[in-house]
Amino acid sequence: MMLERVSERSGHRAAIYDLKPAEDGFYSAAADGFIVHWHRDDVDFGRVVAKVDGGKFFCLETLEGGGLVAGAVDGGVHWLYPENEERNKHVAAHTKGVYSVLRVGEEIYTAGGDGVLIRWNAKTGRTMESLPLSGNSLRSLALHPDGGAIAVGASDGRVYLVNREEMSLIGSHAANEPSVFCLAFMPDFPRLVSGGRDAHLRFFDVSFSKNVPAPISAHLATINKLAFDPSGRFLATASRDKTVKLWDAESWKLLKVCEVVRDRGHVNSVNTLLWLDEHTLLTAGDDRRVLEWRLGRERKSSSQRVK
């Protein structure tokens, strides 16, 4: 397979930590306190839709009707409405940074550096319940394919499975030591993949009773983000080692490494990524750039072509 860089977007003044889809493009959230909307077909212009002075955004989620929820380094959860700024509010919810935010229907979940998972009403922006899970930071959230549970990755090296309806702990499993940074369920299949400080990909079945398949030494440094493409055929991983990698989600064969010299990739840590569709991957990180990659079949050289 081939991942070819097709465009670059720049303008943020600090590291970019999250990307989320929008109807006609996508949003980026960064440590400069800006949330920027980028039109899919305009690589030269990004529109600032929200700004928090002194803010440092780690994560972002979209709301129905154009609203946004952003988690910040100070533990605050920002409810932002670009078309009606009078509704904007900041809630000092967590005592430490908010590292992941997830919307499920009319509910929002935030994972904090204080080890607490909080459930919110997405319409009112009010807290509903909280669940202490760990003495360390909660770093990542992933929704089970059936919608009934949420997997939570923590800096104690464990993955926790939480019952959504009851906001109760189902169980936990040892994962990436010393910290789990990212999680993703395979689309339409209850297998969870985790990545973290140990630079390995690790796999779990739905009951967290065993690892299937064996762990993969995937990068040279922390895996910050992973995401399956919409078809579920490929997994993309982003790392502090400055590379983006593409994996076959059935054989777990490494298909492509995107690096700075050969592929004009990132020059610093790659913090996040987003599939816009089956053929378009976005990546962003400490170099303050959003790179767009196009997925396609590797071109055959003249010597490889069938005559």
Side-chain angles (χ1 to χ4, degrees), residues 29-49:
D32 55 9
F34 288 92
I35 297 174
V36 177
H37 175 266
W38 304 90
H39 195 281
R40 181 165 184 149
D41 299 324
D42 187 351
V43 300
D44 298 319
F45 179 74
R47 181 172 65 94
V48 176
V49 295

Side-chain angles (χ1 to χ4, degrees), residues 19 40 42 53-54 74 87 93 103-104 113 123 139 157 177 181 195 206 260 301 304:
L19 301 169
R40 181 165 184 149
D42 187 351
D53 292 331
D74 62 358
R87 295 182 62 189
R103 178 168 69 91
V104 185
K123 292 185 176 181
R139 303 288 310 207
E177 291 287 351
F181 267 49
V206 65
V260 59
S301 66
Q304 294 175 309

Side-chain angles (χ1 to χ4, degrees), residues 8 23 50 52 55 70 88 108 115 117 145 156 192 209 212 235 240 260:
E8 173 185 328
E23 283 189 9
V52 176
N88 289 357
I108 290 287
L117 177 69
D156 58 8
L192 182 71
S209 62
V212 182
L235 177 75
R240 189 179 178 185
V260 59

